[in-house]
């Protein structure tokens, strides 16, 4: 910079001197001599070309005073030509002084006053920091079984200037088997930073890596790095729990997260615990101090700080029981290569909780997906299939975001509501004929057992899942509400159900949780605001809701948590995180159980309903053998939801051991038929697996689970009517 300024100053001086010299030469040529004698002036005035006669006549006239001899105006002889030239030199001198002053001031400010700032700017222009991605932490089950790990991936990267070398681009295209325009596009992609290395190919074959290494002279600016890719040893096992990763979206890049700097080179969690605990799993970027030239091109690496692997997650999931659930659902719904419609049902879910602390031991959703498909380039063809109606939404987690009619599983809670408000007692009894028209409107409602159950008390109503018993309880809520005696509010039943978490999130550590629907007069009025005749909350809404039908929607997780509340009297917040360990293997975070809610329920009422749920399992001809064979003393409830033009939705939920509850398992299979026949066997199998795991007698070895192909065939309508 200093040299350039000096050269500029000298050039200015030379120009000024040259201009001054040129002006002086021109003035000398144009100005007459000032030292001539008077006679010479006169001779010049007369003219050399005059004749002797003319010269004599003029001289004579001059002597006689008739002619005045003068060469100019008065005073012209005293005005010197050098005066004008002096003034010009003075102007040029002033200009030169101004130029020299400005240049000197600028030189002083740059070299003295601003020297530190310019030096810093020069340093910044010379060096730049380039960051490299860090491996994510691994994910393990509760026993340390690896569910997500990192595998080495041979990655070909290029310096940005390689884009200018067409020969290298063509060679890379040939070796990697990629179109030249794709290679060029990847090298020109500056999303990760102007000086960052550009990823050209991932998971490159070893023979191609060897070829590039052996012919390094032919690939200047090309290097091969060993980076990491996500690997799922068991394929789709617990896929909806684990989630998947991908490149950050524009919105994610703009997120301001304390302690987290998301770059375009990163891999981020987009679903499951990969997303929920992304901040724990992400590592610390590597940093390289790079020297660049005037064009911003890399010259050399001055320093290098290695990246740091992210923290490892340990989940509450037990991989052995999870495998039993995943395999059971797949075998039940899609036994023929994952094609839905070749078994029973269209989709389903299984969830198992530890009722003592809320740990989620099993979370299975079908159809499912293989997270491996989301590493690297995702197949658009497969995504299109997944988004079609025939696929039944494999990416949807039916446990937390699937909403199903509750069916008769709801009767455990509406029984407690009836007992609480005195609309049912231990001595109450009702007569079931199979038909019911308690409102006298002629609109007959049927019990699932069309020929009736006869006379039943509440215990028998729960065990046999008699609809008539619950119609009577629902009618009592209506009769004592605002439309009747006005003794209770219009939402008394709904408010009581809300104590068990229905209509609200469980706050599990996963995204996308649904809240379901517990219909109220306000909800119905809003839903049918454009059809006023349907907007009124009537008695039939109560009798539908009391048996878990009509507009009632719940998630399997809500049902499992609510039954945990029946089993223990309190509901723990469900969670998947057990602990977090750093790269040194040290535990840095441990999940602390949280009591989410404690329903205000009379202990005697709880004991009564628990006994009835125990009787349901023990007395059912189809359910009892399932648990007896496994030696499990369980309490539970079946459910069969009816939906027009579809097969019934099968439900079963149970907790065990009955006298000292530890586990609760819930299963739903949409279009699966009767709950006792379809869902109960899955619940019993998973419950047995949990018991074996706890006892240390499990012989289950998890195997790879296949993701859904996104295909289905027509589901046969084989519903023979509700059975429970």
């Amino acid at each position: 910079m200093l040299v350039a300024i000096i050269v500029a100053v000298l050039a200015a001086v030379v120009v000024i001197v040259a201009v001054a010299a040129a002006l002086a030469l021109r003035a000398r040529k144009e100005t007459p001599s000032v030292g001539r004698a008077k006679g010479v002036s006169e001779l010049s005035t007369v003219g050399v070309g005059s004749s002797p006669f003319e010269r004599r006549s003029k001289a004579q006239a001059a002597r006689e005073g008739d002619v005045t001899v003068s060469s100019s105006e008065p005073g012209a002889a005293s005005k010197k030509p050098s005066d004008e030239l002096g003034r010009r030199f003075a102007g040029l001198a002033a200009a030169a002084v101004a130029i020299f002053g400005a240049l000197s001031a600028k030189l002083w400010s740059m070299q003295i006053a601003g020297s530190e700032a310019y030096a810093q700017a020069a340093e910044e222009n010379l060096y730049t920091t380039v960051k490299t991605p860090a491996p994510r932490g691994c994910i393990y089950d509760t026993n340390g079984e690896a569910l997500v790990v990192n595998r080495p991936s041979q990655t070909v990267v290029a310096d940005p200037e390689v884009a200018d070398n067409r020969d290298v681009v063509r060679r890379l295209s040939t070796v990697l088997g990629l179109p030249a325009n794709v290679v060029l596009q990847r090298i020109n992609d500056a999303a990760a930073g102007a000086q960052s290395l550009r990823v050209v190919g991932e998971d490159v074959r070893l023979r191609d890596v060897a070829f590039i290494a052996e012919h390094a002279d032919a690939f200047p600016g090309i290097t091969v790095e060993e980076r990491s890719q996500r690997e799922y040893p068991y394929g789709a096992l617990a896929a909806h729990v684990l989630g998947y990763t991908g490149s950050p979206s524009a919105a994610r890049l703009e997120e301001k997260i304390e302690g987290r700097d998301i770059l375009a080179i990163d891999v981020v969690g987009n679903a499951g615990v990969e997303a929920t605990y992304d901040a724990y799993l992400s590592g610390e970027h590597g940093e390289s101090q790079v020297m660049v030239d005037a064009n911003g091109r890399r010259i050399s690496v001055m320093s290098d700080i290695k990246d740091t692997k992210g923290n490892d997650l340990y989940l509450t999931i037990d991989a052995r029981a999870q495998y039993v659930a995943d395999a059971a659902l797949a075998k039940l719904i899609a036994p023929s290569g994952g094609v839905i419609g070749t078994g029973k049902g269209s989709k389903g879910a299984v969830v198992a909780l530890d009722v003592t602390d809320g740990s989620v031991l099993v979370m299975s959703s079908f159809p499912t997906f293989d997270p491996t498909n989301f590493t690297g380039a995702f197949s658009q063809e497969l995504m299109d299939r997944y988004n079609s109606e025939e696929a039944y939404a494999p990416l949807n987690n039916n446990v937390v975001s699937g909403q199903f009619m509750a069916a008769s599983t709801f009767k455990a809670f509406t029984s407690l509501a009836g007992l609480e408000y005195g609309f049912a007692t231990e001595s109450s009894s009702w007569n079931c004929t199979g038909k019911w028209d308690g409102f006298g409107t002629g609109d007959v409602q049927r019990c699932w057992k069309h020929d009736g159950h006869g006379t039943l008390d509440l215990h028998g109503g729960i065990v046999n899942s008699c609809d008539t018993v619950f119609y009577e309880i629902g009618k009592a809520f209506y009769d004592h509400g605002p439309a009747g005696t006005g003794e209770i509010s219009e939402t008394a039943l709904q408010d009581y159900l809300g104590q068990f978490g229905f209509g609200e999130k469980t706050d599990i550590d996963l995204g996308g949780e649904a809240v379901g629907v517990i219909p109220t007069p306000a909800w119905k009025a809003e839903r049918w605001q454009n059809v006023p005749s349907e907007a009124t909350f009537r008695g039939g809404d109560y009798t539908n809701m009391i048996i878990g039908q009509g507009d009632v929607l719940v998630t399997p997780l809500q049902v499992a948590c609510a039954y945990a509340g029946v089993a223990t009297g309190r509901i723990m917040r469900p969670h998947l995180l057990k602990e977090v360990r750093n790269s040194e293997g040290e535990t840095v975070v441990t999940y602390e159980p949280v009591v989410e809610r404690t329903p205000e329920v009379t202990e005697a009422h709880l004991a009564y309903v628990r006994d009835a749920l125990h009787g349901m399992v023990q007395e059912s001809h189809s359910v009892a053998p399932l648990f007896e064979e496994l030696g499990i003393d369980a309490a539970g409830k079946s459910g069969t939801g009816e939906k027009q033009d579809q097969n019934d939705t099968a439900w079963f939920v149970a907790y065990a051991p009955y006298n000292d509850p530890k586990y609760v398992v819930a299963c739903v299979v949409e279009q699966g038929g009767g709950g006792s026949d379809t869902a109960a066997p899955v619940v019993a199998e998973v419950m047995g697996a949990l018991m074996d795991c706890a006892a240390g007698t499990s012989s289950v070895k998890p195997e790879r689970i296949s993701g859904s192909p996104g295909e289905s065939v027509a589901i046969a309508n084989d519903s023979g009517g509700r059975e429970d």
Side-chain angles (χ1 to χ4, degrees):
M1 180 64 74
L2 179 61
V3 174
I5 293 175
I6 294 174
V7 170
V9 171
L10 292 176
V13 172
V14 171
V15 170
I16 292 172
V17 173
V19 170
L23 291 175
L25 181 62
R26 179 180 177 184
R28 178 167 299 196
K29 288 181 179 181
E30 293 178 353
T31 305
S33 298
V34 297
R36 294 178 181 178
K38 180 178 180 181
V40 175
S41 298
E42 291 174 350
L43 180 61
S44 174
T45 302
V46 173
V48 176
S50 299
S51 65
F53 176 78
E54 291 173 337
R55 290 194 298 269
R56 185 194 60 80
S57 299
K58 291 179 179 181
Q60 184 178 358
R63 285 194 302 269
E64 294 175 356
D66 294 334
V67 179
T68 301
V69 180
S70 178
S71 63
S72 62
E73 296 178 356
S78 63
K79 187 176 182 180
K80 299 180 181 180
S82 61
D83 293 341
E84 181 65 23
L85 186 61
R87 284 195 298 273
R88 293 182 180 180
F89 270 115
L92 289 174
V97 169
I99 292 173
F100 272 104
L103 291 174
S104 298
K106 185 64 177 178
L107 183 62
W108 181 86
S109 66
M110 294 178 68
Q111 297 297 314
I112 299 176
S115 61
E116 183 176 350
Y118 282 106
Q120 181 178 354
E123 183 75 11
E124 291 176 353
N125 290 332
L126 181 61
Y127 300 102
T128 188
T129 300
V130 176
K131 295 190 176 183
T132 56
R136 291 174 69 82
C138 299
I139 303 176
Y140 301 90
D141 84 335
T142 188
N143 299 308
E145 185 72 35
L147 302 178
V148 185
V149 295
N150 297 317
R151 61 172 176 79
S153 171
Q154 299 298 324
T155 305
V156 174
V157 295
D159 291 334
E161 60 268 19
V162 172
D164 300 328
N165 193 328
R166 298 291 177 173
D167 291 335
V168 175
V169 170
R170 283 194 293 269
R171 292 183 193 121
L172 272 180
S173 170
T174 302
V175 172
L176 300 179
L178 295 171
N181 63 321
V182 173
V183 173
L184 187 60
Q185 181 183 12
R186 293 179 179 180
I187 297 176
N188 284 325
D189 183 2
Q195 280 77 40
S196 65
L197 296 175
R198 314 296 165 77
V199 176
V200 182
E202 296 176 315
D203 285 333
V204 178
R205 297 175 300 183
L206 291 178
R207 67 180 185 182
D208 296 335
V209 170
F211 183 86
I212 293 173
E214 292 172 0
H215 302 82
D217 293 343
F219 295 95
I222 303 299
T223 55
V224 179
E225 296 182 353
E226 187 174 273
R227 296 188 177 182
S228 64
Q229 287 276 12
R230 282 313 225 187
E231 184 172 50
Y232 304 85
Y234 300 112
L237 182 76
H240 295 91
V241 171
L242 302 176
Y244 52 86
T245 59
S247 299
S249 63
R252 291 290 295 273
L253 290 173
E254 295 177 359
E255 285 183 6
K256 303 298 182 184
I257 304 175
E258 185 178 355
R260 179 80 197 281
D261 184 18
I262 300 178
L263 305 177
I265 58 175
D266 289 333
V267 171
V268 297
N270 288 331
V273 295
E274 289 272 23
T276 303
Y277 296 109
D278 184 68
Y280 285 135
L281 290 166
S282 62
E284 295 291 335
H285 295 110
E287 290 188 4
S288 297
Q289 193 76 7
V290 179
M291 179 182 289
V292 297
D293 61 15
N295 295 319
R297 296 180 175 180
R298 295 164 59 110
I299 298 175
S300 61
V301 177
M302 309 305 295
S303 63
D304 197 10
I305 301 176
K306 187 173 176 55
D307 53 64
T308 304
K309 176 177 167 289
N311 298 302
D312 295 331
L313 293 187
Y314 283 76
L315 305 180
T316 58
I317 293 292
D318 190 312
R320 296 165 296 180
Q322 179 72 36
Y323 173 75
V324 170
D326 282 349
L329 276 184
K331 182 179 179 181
L332 176 68
I333 299 174
S336 300
V339 178
I340 295 171
T342 57
K344 280 189 174 183
S346 56
K347 62 182 179 181
V350 177
V351 58
L353 306 176
D354 183 331
V355 300
T356 64
D357 64 5
S359 297
V360 180
L361 307 173
V362 170
M363 181 177 284
S364 179
S365 179
F366 191 89
T368 186
F369 65 94
D370 189 340
T372 305
N373 292 325
F374 289 85
T375 60
F378 187 80
S379 168
Q380 187 60 47
E381 179 186 356
L382 182 59
M383 180 59 81
D384 291 341
R385 290 205 304 272
Y386 277 4
N387 288 329
S388 68
E389 292 184 6
E390 293 76 16
Y392 290 94
L395 300 180
N396 187 59
N397 186 346
N398 292 323
V399 173
V400 299
S401 56
Q403 300 181 98
F404 306 87
M405 61 186 79
S408 294
T409 62
F410 225 38
K411 291 174 180 174
F413 312 102
T414 53
S415 294
L416 288 168
L419 290 167
E420 177 68 25
Y421 282 94
F423 303 148
T425 65
E426 296 182 15
S427 60
S428 299
S429 64
W430 300 268
N431 182 45
C432 173
T433 64
K435 297 179 181 180
W436 185 84
D437 184 16
F439 295 110
T441 62
D443 186 9
V444 177
Q445 290 180 266
R446 307 290 297 267
C447 178
W448 70 266
K449 190 175 182 181
H450 290 182
D451 57 355
H453 287 96
T455 301
L456 294 171
D457 60 4
L458 183 58
H459 181 282
I462 296 173
V463 170
N464 294 282
S465 199
C466 177
D467 293 332
T468 299
V469 170
F470 289 89
Y471 291 153
E472 290 288 349
I473 296 174
K475 180 179 181 297
F477 273 97
Y478 178 75
D479 290 342
H480 291 79
T485 63
E487 298 173 58
I488 59 176
S489 74
E490 63 181 4
T491 60
L493 176 59
Q494 294 90 334
D495 294 341
Y496 189 87
L497 295 170
Q499 292 190 78
F500 289 89
F502 293 111
E504 299 179 20
K505 290 185 177 182
T506 66
D507 285 335
I508 189 173
D509 44 350
L510 281 181
E513 185 177 8
V515 299
V517 174
I518 302 298
T520 63
W523 174 88
K524 190 175 183 183
E526 182 179 356
R527 183 186 182 190
W528 295 99
Q529 57 182 324
N530 296 325
V531 187
S533 61
E534 297 293 332
T536 303
F537 207 80
R538 301 182 174 89
D541 293 303
Y542 279 100
T543 54
N544 277 330
M545 180 168 55
I546 208 83
I547 64 170
Q549 299 277 167
D551 295 315
V552 173
L553 292 175
V554 297
T555 70
L557 183 60
Q558 286 176 331
V559 171
C561 289
Y563 268 85
V566 172
T568 66
R570 65 178 187 175
I571 300 175
M572 306 298 295
R573 180 180 298 171
H575 63 96
L576 287 157
L577 180 66
K578 179 181 178 182
E579 61 187 24
V580 178
R581 299 182 189 178
N582 62 20
S583 57
E584 303 298 323
E586 301 169 338
T587 300
V588 293
V589 175
T590 300
Y591 183 87
E592 295 296 332
V594 176
V595 178
E596 187 67 19
R597 60 183 77 239
T598 303
E600 296 182 6
V601 184
T602 303
E603 186 60 35
H605 295 162
L606 267 180
Y608 184 86
V609 172
R610 289 168 183 163
D611 181 63
L613 295 173
H614 188 226
M616 186 274 150
V617 174
Q618 299 297 313
E619 299 174 33
S620 171
H621 68 278
S622 57
V623 175
L626 298 173
F627 289 92
E628 288 176 1
E629 183 179 352
L630 297 170
I632 299 174
D633 186 16
K637 185 71 185 77
S638 61
T640 304
E642 294 178 296
K643 192 173 183 180
Q644 190 174 3
D645 300 325
Q646 279 191 7
N647 292 334
D648 296 337
T649 295
W651 270 102
F652 198 84
V653 56
Y655 63 86
Y658 171 65
N659 290 321
D660 185 19
K662 175 67 173 175
Y663 307 112
V664 61
V665 182
C667 173
V668 62
V669 181
E670 191 168 80
Q671 300 196 67
S676 295
D677 290 336
T678 303
V682 177
V683 170
E685 188 176 2
V686 173
M687 187 73 79
L690 290 171
M691 295 287 195
D692 289 344
C693 290
T697 59
S698 175
S699 59
V700 176
K701 293 183 179 180
E703 297 180 9
R704 190 175 186 86
I705 296 291
S706 298
S708 172
E711 301 173 1
S712 64
V713 296
I715 298 175
N717 189 344
D718 57 359
S719 178
R722 280 181 53 205
E723 297 181 3
D724 46 19

